[in-house]
Amino acid sequence: MERLHAYWRMPYILAPKNPDEGGNPFTQIHQSGDDKKEYILYRGQWNYIVMNRYPYNAGHLLVLPFREVPTLEDMTTEERHELMDLIVKGQQILTRALRPSGFNTGFNFGKAAGAGIPCHLHCHIVPRWEGDTNFMPVIGNTRVLPDAMDLMWERLHAFVEDDS
């Protein structure tokens, strides 16, 4: 029998499911000052781009505001405009680095809609490739990611263009 090791899953399984239990990770990770350790690819004035620690697919990014806001209407006009610009920037980084065939991009607002941290909106950018579906999620309830998080950060970070 072959074994598939997914060492990243245990921290996800053991992580607090309620942001009140461990604080909001989205407001904590950007304060560490170590972008590589936290997988932050880009910091704007009001928002940032970070790799998802529990990705649906290799290269899965999140774009989110620095401050905790649950809905788009709670953001200022400037924050919303930059958020959209960073969604575009995230897709550009992924296109240059990984050459996906397309993207799934979107938000889950509220717990009922699937938001894991409903108090802090975030946009998912998931790169997709023609034929990237396989039997593992269907019969094995397992996702196969072809690259380690640290290596993926290095690969994506090499394609971040500084706008300053």
Side-chain angles (χ1 to χ4, degrees):
M1 174 181 288
E2 296 293 321
R3 287 180 173 73
L4 177 64
H5 297 272
Y7 300 115
W8 62 273
R9 291 291 297 163
M10 191 52 69
Y12 175 75
I13 292 166
L14 297 176
K17 301 303 180 239
N18 180 345
D20 295 336
E21 292 177 32
N24 178 348
F26 292 151
T27 57
Q28 295 171 4
I29 61 175
H30 71 81
Q31 295 175 4
S32 81
D34 188 346
D35 288 358
K36 184 175 181 177
K37 178 181 175 237
E38 299 297 345
Y39 302 117
I40 295 173
L41 290 173
Y42 184 83
R43 291 173 181 264
Q45 186 172 358
W46 294 287
N47 302 276
Y48 64 104
I49 303 171
V50 63
M51 291 172 55
N52 190 331
R53 285 189 182 273
Y54 311 108
Y56 297 134
N57 216 347
H60 181 169
L61 302 179
L62 300 175
V63 181
L64 60 156
F66 289 116
R67 70 184 185 98
E68 184 179 273
V69 292
T71 66
L72 291 169
E73 68 184 331
D74 292 322
M75 298 178 79
T76 66
T77 301
E78 294 83 10
E79 287 172 326
R80 282 194 306 269
H81 288 186
E82 185 185 74
L83 181 78
M84 186 57 66
D85 288 344
L86 292 190
I87 292 168
V88 172
K89 185 176 193 69
Q91 288 180 335
Q92 290 171 336
I93 292 166
L94 291 167
T95 297
R96 288 192 300 270
L98 304 178
R99 305 211 182 281
S101 306
F103 298 96
N104 291 119
T105 303
F107 298 88
N108 299 321
F109 294 107
K111 189 172 184 172
I117 303 175
C119 63
H120 200 139
L121 73 81
H122 50 284
C123 181
H124 295 261
I125 306 174
V126 182
R128 301 303 303 264
W129 292 267
E130 298 284 336
D132 73 352
T133 57
N134 61 54
F135 68 93
M136 290 300 287
V138 176
I139 66 169
N141 199 27
T142 303
R143 295 188 198 283
V144 178
L145 301 171
D147 216 346
M149 293 289 288
D150 293 338
L151 295 175
M152 182 59 71
W153 186 90
E154 293 286 347
R155 185 174 184 177
L156 295 178
H157 193 261
F159 289 91
V160 174
E161 294 178 358
D162 189 5
D163 296 332
S164 47

